[in-house]
Amino acid sequence: MNRVRLGDRLGAETVLERLLGNILFNNLGRAEIIRYRLLELMALLSRAAAAGGARPEEILSLSATSIQRLMSLSLEESLPWLVEILDECIDRIYRARETRQTPSVEKAVAFINTNYGRSLSLEDVAQEVNLSPAHLSRLFKKEMGRTVIEYLTLVRLEAAKRLLREGKTIEEVATAAGFNEATYFSRVFKREVGVPPGVFRNRSA
């Protein structure tokens, strides 16, 4: 739920796939129990999307339609389809946030997206958009559903995933993505993505 709320698409998909695997493994031959667990996951995704800032009326409509659809699918069809619903929930979060961005937050987001590779602080971003750190912090949290530093970390992790897929070393990725050093990068990556960066790189090869 936290990864969905933060808009961390790949991290959320990684956790969801692990959950689906556990549900199938622990309930072999119990189709009704599996379907019930999938409905529970649907409800969790909906709540997380709403907490992340998606429009409540859109999420209610998506949830109602999805539940009906889920009940009509076979179990084999349900699993990849649930991943599609996860993507749709995160898309709704991003669309809702984009429509609410003030010029200052929009500028802050653009600045972070361009400069994530160097040392950045809340104060640096606030100075760039001509707001006090406290004012920017409140505004950013309200519109983006996360703090400036949380967003910066998410952008850095997305850049790190891209570089890992290209086969870069952990040290190269840590430096290019704006982390102070490789050990800290590895710790943050595993905490947020669920696997160490080396494992992620090998899976993406």
Side-chain angles (χ1 to χ4, degrees):
M1 288 183 70
N2 189 50
R3 294 181 191 280
V4 174
R5 180 180 61 80
L6 292 176
D8 179 5
R9 189 184 304 273
L10 187 55
E13 288 180 358
T14 300
V15 175
L16 179 60
E17 289 170 359
R18 189 185 310 147
L19 286 172
L20 292 174
N22 289 340
I23 289 171
L24 290 176
F25 180 78
N26 292 323
N27 296 283
L28 291 175
R30 304 162 69 191
E32 289 306 311
I33 297 296
I34 293 174
R35 197 173 298 280
Y36 176 74
R37 296 301 184 198
L38 296 181
L39 288 170
E40 285 185 323
L41 280 176
M42 269 297 314
L44 288 174
L45 289 176
S46 298
R47 289 205 297 271
R55 299 181 187 281
E57 63 275 11
E58 290 187 2
I59 293 302
L60 284 172
S61 175
L62 176 64
S63 180
T65 303
S66 299
I67 289 173
Q68 291 178 350
R69 176 69 172 153
L70 185 61
M71 298 305 292
S72 69
L73 296 174
S74 67
L75 289 179
E76 291 76 15
E77 294 170 325
S78 297
L79 304 185
W81 180 79
L82 202 58
V83 177
E84 292 180 16
I85 294 301
L86 168 63
D87 281 335
E88 181 63 26
C89 285
I90 293 179
D91 286 343
R92 301 288 178 99
I93 291 172
Y94 281 126
R95 285 204 298 269
R97 288 175 181 172
E98 286 169 1
T99 61
R100 290 197 299 266
Q101 282 186 14
T102 61
S104 293
V105 171
E106 185 177 0
K107 187 177 179 181
V109 167
F111 180 71
I112 291 171
N113 289 343
T114 303
N115 296 278
Y116 65 84
R118 66 180 180 87
S119 178
L120 280 184
S121 66
L122 170 61
E123 289 71 19
D124 294 327
V125 181
Q127 183 177 12
E128 176 68 20
V129 300
N130 297 314
L131 292 177
S132 71
H135 187 190
L136 174 63
S137 183
R138 287 192 298 270
L139 194 61
F140 200 96
K141 176 74 172 180
K142 179 181 178 182
E143 296 187 16
M144 298 294 292
R146 71 194 77 180
T147 67
V148 170
I149 300 304
E150 285 173 343
Y151 181 78
L152 172 60
T153 300
L154 182 60
V155 171
R156 284 173 169 168
L157 288 174
E158 289 301 320
K161 291 171 189 174
R162 183 177 67 254
L163 293 167
L164 287 168
R165 292 190 193 100
E166 295 173 0
K168 303 291 187 184
T169 68
I170 306 301
E171 291 74 16
E172 288 173 332
V173 172
T175 299
F179 290 91
N180 293 329
E181 45 93 25
T183 302
Y184 174 69
F185 161 64
S186 296
R187 187 165 64 247
V188 173
F189 191 96
K190 183 177 181 180
R191 184 189 70 209
E192 297 298 329
V193 180
V195 295
V199 173
F200 179 89
R201 181 182 56 200
N202 293 339
R203 287 180 180 177
S204 303

